Amino acid sequence: MRKSIATVSVSGTLTEKLEAIAAAGFDGVEIFENDLLACPLSPEEVRARAADLGLGIDLYQPFRDFEAVPADVLAGNLRRAERKFQVMRRLGADLLLVCSNVSPAAIGDDELAAEQLRLLAERAAEHGVRIAYEALAWGRHVNEYLHAWRVVRMADHPNLGTCLDSFHILSRGSDPIGIEAIPGEKIFFLQLADAPLLAMDVLQWSRHYRCFPGQGNFDLAGLTASVLRTGYAGPLSLEVFNDVFRQASTERTALDGMRSLIALEQSLDGLSHPAVPAGFAFAELADTGTLGGLLTALGFARTGVHASKPVELWSQGEARLLLNARDQVADPALVAIGLDSPDPGGAVKHAGALLSPVLPRERAPEDAPLDAIAAPDGTEIFFCDTAWLADFGPGAAVRAPMPGRITHIDHVALTQPLHYFDEAALFYRSVLGLRPQESLELPDPYGLLRSKAMSAPDGAVRMVVNIAQVGAGQQPWQHLALACDDVVAVARRLRAEHPDLLLPIPDNYYDDLEARYEVDPELRRLGVLYDRDGAGGEFLHLYTVTAGRVFFELVQRLGGYQGYGAGNAPIRLAVQHAGA
């Protein structure tokens, strides 16, 4: 379907917005009036610029507080409308969005509203313009989409239809099934926005927290499907008001909006992800020569050396870490993640369809043909079968088994730049096929840590996307969580052999823990943290100190526990800040 986006959805000047929107592959735009008013170009020049970029102007908006008003107010509104129609003709736009009245002067009279909207439609027709009437969720008298449709139907004019906006419908909890009673030809426009579920005033919610489809909690696919069943053939258009988007890169935001519409179309077509990852193949860390000792202490052994690159393979169980002796690396950092894929080629093709192109790589002729894409924070994501292991010749002998073995990578947590959080959530959901969990805000000594976990349906791959909202001094920490078969045994060995590697946990934490649960007092001595879910699942975990940007978490899940010990994160953060 034709894809459009409102200029208010991205940052920048109007010309910058048009260029970014066109580069992202959109077919058209909604021109937000404030963007035009602040633009030095004339409407004719804006029209020509959009045409040069291959963009149609699908809608001009918004026209506010028109209908159901006293006669003297109506006269002024009609005069205002005539001026807007003239601007639209110069702009090349033939559809005007009219929002339901929020003014105290508005009268609660549907017949009057219909009469005045019909008069507006008659005037619009003289200019070749149509009117799309939208129910604002906070409209004074008309605030539900079926109410707006009743008024449109009463007005009965061919140049008057309705605009459906997913936020105004779903934020009020309205059932979108009623959309299917509206004739498709009377739905003049469809605007789409997702949002997190927040308990707040709907106007503030709308103005600051909308996001692209797939980044919030609304059922956009269900609503859009209801619209399409009416026979609606207009654009799928994004209209998002978001404080973070207004400060973010215009180009990245436009591209992310296009990705959201492509993913929405895939869900409408019933397409499932072609290759949801089956596990972690490896995690790759840029090394300054300091990580080998830490991995040895954790029980890893160097089991391979790359045939053509300065990369070592360190293994324990099914947990594989690559140490890359990259030049110009100041501190150790997580730079790449390899995912076991049942169809690497299909996964790469799917990623490309969602605007995540394959990254250029230098590869020797004998190297395995691994393809990678970039996650929003720059981490490289590889789609793998087992062929990559052949690139590594023998390394040191595998260490003998010991109590408390690490078995595999449990999850990876990446700290995102502030403007990339929603982008990252959509990326992992649409490109990798991971399912989002509830977004959490956790207290940090210097602010808040915002966190969202994403996981494969079977839990074989878990990713945690974090944003530390703690100002310029924040540490962009990354962490790898390694699953153990007996985390207490690991803690005993590390406490005896390498006590300086473990993060010290305050006694106050254990005083509180022992008041809430009957736990083994040894957890206190070992520095093991504990969590329990409502179904009786248990989680034991401990942390290493940070090496550069990276620290390791050793975890053990018992009784079907699916969480991440989020309640203990503030303790870990406080201790890390104290030792930074």
Side-chain angles (χ1 to χ4, degrees):
M1 295 184 67
R2 182 177 174 82
K3 298 178 181 66
S4 187
I5 185 171
T7 55
V8 73
S9 304
V10 296
S11 65
T13 64
L14 181 55
T15 52
E16 290 171 338
K17 294 180 183 201
L18 294 176
E19 290 168 1
I21 288 166
F26 284 93
D27 303 298
V29 292
E30 305 176 33
I31 298 290
F32 195 71
E33 185 173 61
N34 285 4
D35 287 323
L36 181 65
L37 298 183
C39 182
L41 301 181
S42 68
E44 291 85 357
E45 290 171 321
V46 171
R47 177 181 185 172
R49 183 62 182 139
D52 289 344
L53 292 168
L55 295 172
I57 298 178
D58 293 330
L59 182 78
Y60 187 66
Q61 65 126 324
F63 192 68
R64 302 184 187 278
D65 297 336
F66 174 80
E67 82 288 3
V69 294
D72 59 328
V73 177
L74 176 63
N77 286 348
L78 289 171
R79 183 171 57 253
R80 180 164 52 100
E82 285 288 342
R83 293 293 184 93
K84 300 305 176 187
F85 296 151
Q86 293 167 16
V87 170
M88 290 176 66
R89 289 181 67 177
R90 297 172 63 194
L91 195 58
D94 64 1
L95 186 61
L96 176 67
L97 177 68
V98 175
C99 303
S100 62
N101 205 323
V102 301
S103 168
I107 301 166
D109 184 335
D110 285 359
E111 289 187 0
L112 180 62
E115 176 187 331
Q116 293 181 353
L117 284 171
R118 180 179 177 83
L119 181 59
L120 179 66
E122 289 173 349
R123 299 286 183 92
E126 296 172 3
H127 296 269
V129 170
R130 298 181 303 151
I131 304 297
Y133 181 56
E134 172 188 66
L136 293 179
W138 53 91
R140 185 167 180 83
H141 300 293
V142 177
N143 49 39
E144 293 186 338
Y145 75 98
L146 287 176
H147 190 173
W149 163 236
R150 288 196 301 272
V151 173
V152 167
R153 188 172 54 189
M154 290 171 63
D156 190 23
H157 193 281
N159 280 54
L160 178 66
T162 189
C163 173
L164 298 176
D165 183 307
S166 64
F167 181 85
H168 294 303
I169 295 170
L170 298 176
S171 65
R172 294 185 59 86
S174 300
D175 189 341
I177 194 66
I179 291 170
E180 299 184 31
I182 305 174
E185 65 272 14
K186 296 302 287 184
I187 301 174
F188 282 3
F189 209 71
L190 172 64
Q191 293 176 320
L192 297 170
D194 208 337
L197 297 180
L198 300 173
M200 66 187 307
D201 174 76
V202 69
L203 176 59
Q204 297 304 311
W205 188 14
S206 171
R207 286 288 177 260
H208 302 283
Y209 296 100
R210 295 198 204 190
C211 52
F212 293 137
Q215 295 177 335
N217 300 106
F218 288 163
D219 179 13
L220 270 293
L223 181 143
T224 307
S226 290
V227 174
L228 297 182
R229 280 193 286 269
T230 69
Y232 172 76
L236 300 180
S237 190
L238 300 170
E239 187 201 36
V240 170
F241 298 84
N242 186 294
D243 294 345
V244 173
F245 291 9
R246 290 188 181 102
Q247 303 172 52
S249 161
T250 311
E251 294 79 8
R252 290 187 72 124
T253 304
L255 200 66
D256 203 38
M258 176 56 73
R259 178 182 292 124
S260 76
L261 286 181
I262 294 170
L264 177 62
E265 283 191 326
Q266 289 179 344
S267 67
L268 291 170
D269 292 337
L271 300 178
S272 59
H273 194 285
V276 175
F280 289 101
F282 61 81
E284 181 176 346
L285 300 117
D287 185 25
T288 58
T290 60
L291 289 177
L294 174 57
L295 294 187
T296 299
L298 292 177
F300 283 84
R302 194 185 71 166
T303 55
V305 178
H306 198 280
S308 63
K309 299 174 182 176
V311 179
E312 299 175 346
L313 170 62
W314 290 69
S315 303
Q316 186 174 180
E318 294 299 314
R320 303 182 186 92
L321 304 179
L322 305 183
L323 299 189
N324 190 331
R326 292 189 174 188
D327 295 332
Q328 299 177 339
V329 174
D331 294 301
L334 179 65
V335 294
I337 298 166
L339 299 174
D340 287 322
S341 175
D343 179 7
V348 169
K349 183 178 179 181
H350 176 74
L354 287 161
L355 310 179
S356 297
V358 173
L359 294 172
R361 297 183 62 234
E362 293 184 5
R363 184 163 56 209
E366 65 274 13
D367 290 351
L370 289 181
D371 287 322
I373 61 173
D377 69 340
T379 303
E380 296 180 0
I381 306 292
F382 288 85
F383 300 104
C384 311
D385 54 22
T386 57
W388 69 274
L389 287 166
D391 288 350
F392 291 84
V398 178
R399 295 178 61 170
M402 61 184 68
R405 292 280 291 170
I406 289 170
T407 57
H408 60 281
I409 297 174
D410 183 87
H411 65 273
V412 176
L414 300 172
T415 300
Q416 309 293 311
L418 174 62
H419 299 152
Y420 297 174
F421 186 85
D422 290 319
E423 179 185 348
L426 178 60
F427 172 87
Y428 289 113
R429 181 176 189 169
S430 61
V431 176
L432 300 187
L434 306 184
R435 296 179 177 176
Q437 298 177 20
E438 183 181 1
S439 183
L440 302 175
E441 288 188 346
L442 306 170
D444 179 284
Y446 301 101
L448 288 175
L449 177 75
R450 187 179 175 198
S451 181
K452 181 185 284 288
M454 319 280 288
S455 65
D458 61 358
V461 170
R462 295 182 172 96
M463 306 285 292
V464 179
V465 179
N466 293 327
I467 281 185
Q469 301 181 35
V470 296
Q474 72 183 55
Q475 294 293 324
W477 287 316
Q478 307 161 318
H479 90 259
L480 281 169
L482 304 170
C484 302
D485 56 15
D486 186 345
V487 78
V488 170
V490 173
R492 287 175 184 148
R493 178 174 59 80
L494 291 175
R495 185 63 66 186
E497 300 175 5
H498 306 282
D500 292 341
L501 289 182
L502 297 180
L503 202 67
I505 305 301
D507 278 336
N508 292 332
Y509 166 78
Y510 292 100
D511 291 342
D512 177 71
L513 179 66
E514 291 167 0
R516 291 183 292 121
Y517 302 115
E518 292 185 7
V519 296
D520 189 333
E522 189 181 20
L523 299 186
R524 180 193 295 259
R525 182 179 67 82
L526 298 176
V528 174
L529 295 94
Y530 178 87
D531 190 34
R532 183 183 299 174
D533 63 24
E538 297 176 292
F539 189 63
L540 292 93
H541 57 138
L542 75 159
Y543 298 99
T544 70
V545 295
T546 303
R549 295 180 57 192
V550 180
F551 64 94
F552 295 90
E553 179 184 11
L554 307 179
V555 310
Q556 183 178 7
R557 299 175 181 274
L558 300 169
Y561 182 94
Q562 296 298 315
Y564 298 84
N568 294 329
I571 310 301
R572 184 259 298 173
L573 288 163
V575 177
Q576 284 179 315
H577 279 296

